[in-house]
């Protein structure tokens, strides 16, 4: 949820204690106490704003002798001097930041509300590709409730020092209860030919070595490292079960887009990258320098079936074999493919979080709180570039890896380009290599190693 930075005080009193010490000599001045009344009721002049300057502990005489300062002064907002106007403007900025109430009655000193957006911590935008991909699976409602309960623990584990283990325990017990009570309905949502595999996974989720019962024991031991490992294992099992529950798209594509290739589930692409200048990639821990490296990308047809489908078709057509890469501070891009007659000009395709199907040719209004199911604000996000002519369409060929850096992000940690590109997957294995890719490096080969059975190609006739 987004909140504009526009707020102030109604009928409120704000106090400051200020100590004034002359620079030329030491002084035993007592602190001065300022009281600012905004829209308050003045017994002498109702409805007017005032500023009282009162010395603390009635040291009025001492202040007069040392400074000759006029105190107990009454100042109306009408006819005030430029200095007072500046002072009150500063006070209003402080009030705007500190108060949740709207401005009323301050037409004399208008301050335009900021257009920036603050995002509540409750927004919980996925910060890893694995988390975003797991949330994107259109699975059984009970499974999603179990998933949500466990993912809450991911955020609780970030709390420093005293972690809320009691709350974590409650979350796991809630997940266990649903998993036990709704077992039949959850397994019934898995296709018959996959149900045996689903039953095995389900048993491991509850009573397996890294299942929910084991996770509960780790929480009772208050061992955050073991909790983190057990939680990751349980969430991986949940994702496997959810993928069994979602064998295809949960929505119908618009009629005008039936002619495009489409991916009706998940796929995995493996890219082999080599240095263009003959140098090597830095070695892994304890390893040797490497002339080539591999990066695996999970592409998601559940959220972007057309974009993922077009990319998958280009992969099996070997369109990216030999393609040169270009590196910037924010992205690693393929070449634009203008010399190749490959790919479809797919419409911009973004599925809003919580919605049933993607939007086409429409960017999201992130400042208004719209967020995509597959956010760009994740290191290793994979998206298509915009079309050369019209940003309502993606490039038929050019894709990029987004090198998200929160230091360059906006308020709430979101990229300034969030909601403007068709994100269709994430680099998972090998994403640490992305920072080593330089302009001139080459995609030696690109293969679709999983998901070709879920790729639907149009009738070329």
């Amino acid at each position: 949820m987004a909140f504009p930075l526009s707020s102030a005080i109604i009928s409120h009193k704000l106090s400051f204690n200020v100590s004034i010490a002359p620079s030329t000599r030491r002084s035993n001045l007592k602190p001065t106490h300022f009281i600012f009344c905004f829209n308050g009721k003045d017994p002498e002049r109702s409805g007017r704003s005032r500023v009282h300057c009162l010395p603390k502990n009635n040291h009025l005489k001492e202040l007069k002798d040392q400074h000759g300062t006029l105190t107990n002064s009454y100042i109306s907002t009408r006819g005030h001097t430029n200095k007072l106007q500046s002072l009150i403007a500063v006070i209003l900025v402080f009030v705007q930041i500190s108060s949740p109430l709207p401005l009323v009655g301050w037409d004399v000193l208008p301050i335009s509300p900021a257009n920036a957006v603050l995002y509540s911590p409750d927004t919980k935008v996925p910060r890893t590709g694995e988390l975003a991909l797991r949330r994107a699976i259109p699975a059984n409602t009970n499974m999603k409730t179990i998933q949500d309960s466990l993912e809450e623990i991911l955020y609780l584990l970030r709390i420093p020092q005293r972690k809320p283990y009691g709350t974590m325990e409650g979350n796991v017990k809630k997940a266990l209860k649903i998993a036990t009570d709704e077992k039949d309905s959850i397994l019934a949502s898995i296709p018959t030919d996959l149900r045996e595999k689903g039953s095995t996974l389900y048993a491991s989720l509850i009573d397996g070595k890294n299942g929910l019962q084991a996770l509960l024991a780790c929480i009772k031991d208050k061992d955050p490292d073991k909790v983190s490992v057990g939680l990751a294992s349980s969430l991986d099992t949940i994702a496997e079960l959810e993928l069994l529950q979602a064998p295809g798209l949960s929505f119908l594509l618009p009629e005008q887009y039936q002619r495009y290739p489409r991916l009706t589930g998940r796929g995995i692409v493996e890219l082999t990258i080599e240095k263009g200048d003959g140098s090597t990639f830095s070695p892994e821990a304890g390893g040797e320098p490497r002339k080539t490296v591999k990066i695996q990308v999970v592409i998601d047809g559940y959220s972007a079936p057309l974009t993922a489908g077009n990319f998958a078709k280009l992969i099996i057509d070997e369109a990216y074999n030999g393609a040169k890469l270009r590196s910037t501070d924010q992205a690693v891009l393929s070449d634009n493919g203008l010399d190749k007659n490959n790919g479809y000009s797919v419409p911009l395709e973004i599925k809003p979080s919580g919605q049933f199907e993607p939007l086409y040719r429409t960017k999201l209004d992130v400042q208004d709180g719209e967020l995509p199911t597959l956010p760009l604000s994740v290191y290793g996000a994979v998206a298509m570039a915009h079309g050369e002519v019209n940003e309502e369409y993606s490039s038929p060929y050019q894709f990029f890896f987004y090198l998200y850096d929160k230091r360059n992000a906006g308020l709430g940690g979101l990229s300034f380009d969030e909601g403007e590109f068709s994100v269709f997957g994430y680099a998972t294995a090998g994403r640490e290599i992305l920072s080593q890719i330089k302009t001139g490096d080459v995609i030696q080969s690109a293969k679709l190693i999983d998901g070709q059975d879920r790729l639907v190609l149009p009738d070329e006739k």
Side-chain angles (χ1 to χ4, degrees), residues 17-218:
N17 288 322
V18 182
S19 295
I20 306 172
S23 59
T24 56
R25 61 186 178 89
R26 290 186 64 180
S27 170
N28 295 322
L29 290 179
K30 303 296 181 182
T32 303
H33 188 64
F34 291 86
I35 301 177
F36 300 91
C37 297
F38 302 106
N39 297 330
K41 291 184 179 179
D42 188 339
E44 299 177 18
R45 301 185 186 184
S46 177
R48 305 182 70 178
S49 304
R50 54 184 176 146
V51 179
H52 282 311
C53 178
L54 299 173
K56 239 183 177 180
N57 300 327
N58 294 322
H59 294 286
L60 180 60
K61 187 175 182 305
E62 183 178 349
L63 285 174
K64 283 184 176 180
D65 293 339
Q66 295 189 28
H67 295 283
T69 305
L70 182 61
T71 61
N72 269 339
S73 59
Y74 178 88
I75 305 172
S76 170
T77 54
R78 296 176 182 175
H80 50 64
T81 63
N82 289 337
K83 277 189 175 182
L84 182 59
Q85 183 175 6
S86 299
L87 173 62
I88 295 178
V90 171
I91 295 166
L92 280 174
V93 171
F94 176 84
V95 170
Q96 288 239 83
I97 295 173
S98 62
S99 169
L101 300 176
L103 274 171
V104 175
W106 279 90
D107 296 332
V108 177
L109 297 173
I111 297 181
S112 301
N115 291 324
V117 176
L118 283 177
Y119 286 86
S120 164
D122 292 334
T123 303
K124 296 177 183 174
V125 176
R127 294 305 186 192
T128 67
E130 290 82 359
L131 180 54
L133 289 166
R134 187 168 57 241
R135 289 186 178 179
I137 305 170
N140 177 280
T141 303
N142 288 317
M143 284 301 298
K144 283 300 181 185
T145 304
I146 294 173
Q147 178 184 323
D148 292 343
S149 184
L150 295 184
E151 285 182 352
E152 179 71 25
I153 301 176
L154 290 173
Y155 297 94
L156 298 177
L157 281 171
R158 297 179 187 175
I159 298 174
Q161 299 175 350
R162 298 186 63 183
K163 300 186 185 298
Y165 288 106
T167 304
M168 296 182 197
E169 183 177 343
N171 283 22
V172 176
K173 286 181 176 179
K174 175 185 175 182
L176 268 170
K177 186 176 188 311
I178 296 171
T180 302
D181 294 348
E182 303 297 335
K183 176 180 177 180
D184 292 341
S185 67
I186 290 173
L187 292 177
S189 64
I190 299 175
T192 306
D193 57 326
L194 299 173
R195 198 161 297 166
E196 183 178 350
K197 180 180 179 180
S199 297
T200 303
L201 282 171
Y202 204 77
S204 69
L205 174 64
I206 297 176
D207 296 312
K209 181 180 178 181
N210 291 313
L212 297 179
Q213 294 287 5
L215 177 59
L216 192 59
C218 293

Side-chain angles (χ1 to χ4, degrees), residues 248-254 257 260-266 299-313 346-347 349-351 356-360 374 422-424 454-456:
L249 299 184
S250 58
F251 54 87
L252 294 176
L253 287 170
Y257 300 137
Y260 292 98
R262 57 189 180 274
L263 187 66
T264 61
R266 290 278 163 85
I299 56 178
D300 182 43
Y302 296 126
S303 301
L306 302 184
T307 311
N310 179 59
F311 184 76
K313 184 178 186 302
V346 176
E349 183 179 42
I350 305 174
K351 185 171 179 283
F356 188 68
E357 58 189 351
L359 298 176
Y360 291 97
L374 301 180
S422 297
V423 177
F424 62 94
R454 293 178 282 276
L455 176 60
V456 179

Side-chain angles (χ1 to χ4, degrees), residues 389-404:
V389 178
N390 188 345
E391 290 191 356
E392 290 185 359
Y393 286 82
S394 294
S395 166
Y397 179 86
Q398 187 177 35
F399 75 96
F400 64 91
F401 293 98
Y402 189 70
L403 307 180
Y404 170 77

Side-chain angles (χ1 to χ4, degrees), residues 15 29 148 261 276 345 438:
S15 299
L29 290 179
D148 292 343
S345 185
K438 306 301 180 185

Side-chain angles (χ1 to χ4, degrees), residues 442-459:
V442 177
I443 299 176
Q444 187 185 80
S445 66
K447 299 177 181 177
L448 184 65
I449 61 175
D450 184 56
Q452 189 160 346
D453 57 325
R454 293 178 282 276
L455 176 60
V456 179
L457 300 175
D459 186 353

